[in-house]
Amino acid sequence: MAKQPQVTEQTRANLTAAFWELYLEKPIEKITIREITDRAGYNRATFYLYYHDVYDLFEQLEDEILGQIRVLVQQRLLFEDQLDFSHHMGFIVELAQRFNAYMPRLMAGDPSFEERLKEIIAPLLDRFILPEEGLSPREQDVLRAFYLSGLLGAVGAWMADPDSMPISRLIELIVGAAL
């Protein structure tokens, strides 16, 4: 018997929501499959239809988040003549709102997530921010690392209290500082 796509999607969404609730409460090492399934209202066998273990679920969630950011960067921002965040503000706001509850924890709790995020964002810096001439490759690496760390630090600080500043102002500050 084939699974219904809507049921599969809803089951995954419920398991994911239960995981995120637990992940915001405690470290991933302390999260059990039983806690996830109890919170989501499923049995352990259902969990294993979709994931191998808690870490597999976590990795799939990270991949989904990073995939959406990659789409924004590679299919939209990199093809512009200039870096114009305001042109894509709706998509940026949607991503920020969708992942706002999780990004600070992911960025603070998983160094590999931050490194993967930096790899996605680096081409933007290379194309629009870093000078094309006058710097050695090593100097470009250092400057890229500076901008990436600063950018992610600013985003992390904003996400700690996003209601205190509109995302449009955050982008304005970041773009203004980079120029």
Side-chain angles (χ1 to χ4, degrees):
M1 178 162 86
K3 294 182 205 170
Q4 296 176 329
Q6 302 91 343
V7 173
T8 297
E9 187 176 317
Q10 186 60 53
T11 302
R12 290 177 72 95
N14 292 341
L15 290 168
T16 299
F19 169 80
W20 279 129
E21 288 173 12
L22 291 163
Y23 185 66
L24 293 173
E25 294 171 9
K26 58 183 164 179
I28 191 170
E29 307 83 49
K30 305 276 187 192
I31 299 172
T32 67
I33 293 169
R34 173 144 334 270
E35 288 176 305
I36 295 169
T37 55
D38 285 352
R39 201 170 275 215
Y42 298 101
N43 61 41
R44 291 171 56 88
T46 300
F47 179 92
Y48 288 115
L49 290 173
Y50 303 101
Y51 310 106
H52 297 291
D53 55 26
V54 173
Y55 295 98
D56 180 40
L57 185 154
F58 182 68
E59 186 177 317
Q60 287 185 39
L61 293 173
E62 279 189 335
D63 289 346
E64 178 188 342
I65 291 169
L66 291 170
Q68 290 184 34
I69 295 169
R70 185 176 289 110
V71 165
L72 172 64
V73 170
Q74 292 179 351
Q75 295 181 6
R76 295 174 189 251
L77 297 179
L78 279 175
F79 290 102
E80 299 291 326
D81 292 330
Q82 60 184 358
L83 190 58
D84 183 3
F85 285 110
S86 62
H87 182 70
H88 299 288
M89 186 66 74
F91 196 74
I92 293 168
V93 169
E94 179 186 323
L95 279 178
Q97 288 173 337
R98 179 163 185 214
F99 301 123
N100 184 40
Y102 318 119
M103 287 294 280
R105 178 66 197 265
L106 286 171
M107 289 170 60
D110 184 5
S112 71
F113 179 83
E114 186 170 328
E115 288 307 310
R116 291 168 61 196
L117 184 57
K118 286 179 179 180
E119 287 175 17
I120 292 169
I121 297 170
L124 286 174
L125 298 176
D126 292 346
R127 177 151 185 233
F128 297 110
I129 306 297
L130 296 178
E132 291 182 26
E133 297 177 9
L135 296 177
S136 71
R138 179 67 183 132
E139 290 170 331
Q140 285 183 335
D141 289 344
V142 169
L143 195 54
R144 184 182 305 109
F146 170 77
Y147 279 124
L148 286 169
S149 295
L151 177 63
L152 293 183
V155 169
W158 174 78
M159 287 185 147
D161 186 13
D163 294 331
S164 67
M165 178 189 313
I167 192 168
S168 57
R169 179 64 181 142
L170 170 70
I171 292 170
E172 192 178 282
L173 287 171
I174 290 172
V175 171
L179 302 176

